[in-house]
Amino acid sequence: MVVAHLNLLRKIVGIIGNFIALCLFLSPTPTFVRIVKKKSVEEYSPIPYLATLINCLVWVLYGLPTVHPDSTLVITINGTGILIEIVFLTIFFVYCGRQKQRLIISAVIAGETAFIAILAVLVFTLQHTTEKRTMSVGIVCCVFNVMMYASPLSVMKMVIKTKSVEFMPFWLSVAGFLNAGVWTIYALMPFDPFMAIPNGIGSLFGLAQLILYGAYYKSTKKIMAERQKQLGYIGLSSAIAHTESEKIANTNQELNNV
């Protein structure tokens, strides 16, 4: 009876985890709408999306019945995540504007695909029990899951340096924190160290990002307002200069006609 209740609770938490993870994967949507509208990636980094892609790939491999049985919820959400990240990276690739960055993105995606293919071949040919496969793929999942949660560290460094959270998407941070927390709970029923450890670490990274938001939200507003003020001043100055130039040109034309 207790085991049945625990399995039911685990399934419910897993479904909630799927929903929150979907929100996590979709949370950068406003960022990519902005990129499409401006036709530029500005200062946004592709690193979080590349890290999320490889993370989803290894977790799909981990969730296969021949690797870690009874992990359907792990496959469904990470399979969805792969499709979403491919769309985001395609948009980033189109609007990044720098050939060098496009080459880097292409090389990283090719490397990630090759890595997963090699890992799958090695696991299925050299290991013949689900326990051994779970151990091997689980360790890899731990590494890449931590990398995904740590990927915003470069952005966090920029936030501290510039005192602005403009280029650290808020909803991505919130969804990341909630996602890590829910999957940590899921990993405790029963205990799965390969899910509990990286998601526990992810909770700390997510909390750190939210703390940065609280610390630099006001300064970000001030910086953005000042920038708009300067742009408005520059635009007004340009308009005045253009008007003065027209006046001088008209005066010269009148003098030439005389």
Side-chain angles (χ1 to χ4, degrees):
M1 183 66 71
V2 175
V3 174
H5 286 162
L6 186 63
N7 288 334
L8 177 61
L9 182 60
R10 185 174 187 264
K11 185 174 290 187
I12 292 172
V13 172
I15 292 171
I16 295 172
N18 266 241
F19 176 74
I20 295 177
L22 181 62
C23 293
L24 170 64
F25 293 141
L26 292 174
S27 61
T29 300
T31 297
F32 283 90
V33 170
R34 171 174 171 166
I35 287 173
V36 172
K37 286 182 177 178
K38 291 185 176 254
K39 300 186 185 303
S40 170
V41 298
E42 300 180 283
E43 296 300 319
Y44 290 108
S45 171
I47 294 175
Y49 313 108
L50 291 167
T52 303
L53 177 61
I54 184 63
N55 179 69
C56 290
L57 287 169
V58 294
W59 278 111
V60 166
L61 180 61
Y62 181 84
L64 293 176
T66 50
V67 176
H68 191 71
D70 302 320
S71 300
T72 304
L73 292 174
V74 175
I75 295 177
T76 55
I77 189 55
N78 284 287
T80 304
I82 290 171
L83 297 177
I84 293 171
E85 297 309 316
I86 289 174
V87 172
F88 285 160
L89 286 168
T90 300
I91 294 173
F92 202 99
F93 184 87
V94 171
Y95 291 108
C96 68
R98 294 192 294 270
Q99 187 63 26
K100 182 179 179 181
Q101 193 172 36
R102 287 178 178 173
L103 289 173
I104 291 173
I105 292 172
S106 300
V108 172
I109 292 175
E112 290 178 351
T113 305
F115 174 81
I116 290 298
I118 294 170
L119 178 63
V121 170
L122 291 176
V123 166
F124 289 123
T125 56
L126 300 180
Q127 298 180 319
H128 305 291
T129 64
T130 54
E131 289 79 10
K132 290 181 179 179
R133 291 170 180 173
T134 295
M135 173 71 72
S136 300
V137 181
I139 292 172
V140 176
C141 286
C142 272
V143 173
F144 284 109
N145 210 3
V146 171
M147 285 175 60
M148 182 192 76
Y149 286 125
S151 61
L153 283 176
S154 59
V155 181
M156 292 168 68
K157 180 181 178 182
M158 183 176 71
V159 168
I160 295 171
K161 184 177 180 180
T162 62
K163 294 180 170 38
S164 171
V165 295
E166 182 180 3
F167 295 106
M168 187 169 73
F170 174 71
W171 291 112
L172 180 61
S173 301
V174 172
F177 174 68
L178 293 176
N179 180 69
V182 170
W183 284 107
T184 299
I185 296 171
Y186 179 86
L188 298 177
M189 302 180 294
F191 182 66
D192 183 343
F194 304 116
M195 294 186 69
I197 294 172
N199 283 291
I201 294 172
S203 298
L204 297 178
F205 281 128
L207 181 61
Q209 291 176 59
L210 294 178
I211 290 172
L212 282 180
Y213 256 98
Y216 294 112
Y217 179 77
K218 289 185 178 179
S219 61
T220 302
K221 290 291 185 183
K222 187 182 296 185
I223 291 170
M224 293 177 71
E226 186 64 30
R227 185 193 305 153
Q228 289 296 325
K229 184 178 179 181
Q230 290 178 355
L231 289 173
Y233 176 77
I234 292 171
L236 181 60
S237 299
S238 299
I240 292 173
H242 183 67
T243 302
E244 291 297 326
S245 298
E246 286 184 344
K247 287 182 179 179
I248 293 171
N250 290 336
T251 301
N252 291 336
Q253 184 66 36
E254 290 173 1
L255 290 174
N256 289 333
N257 291 336
V258 173

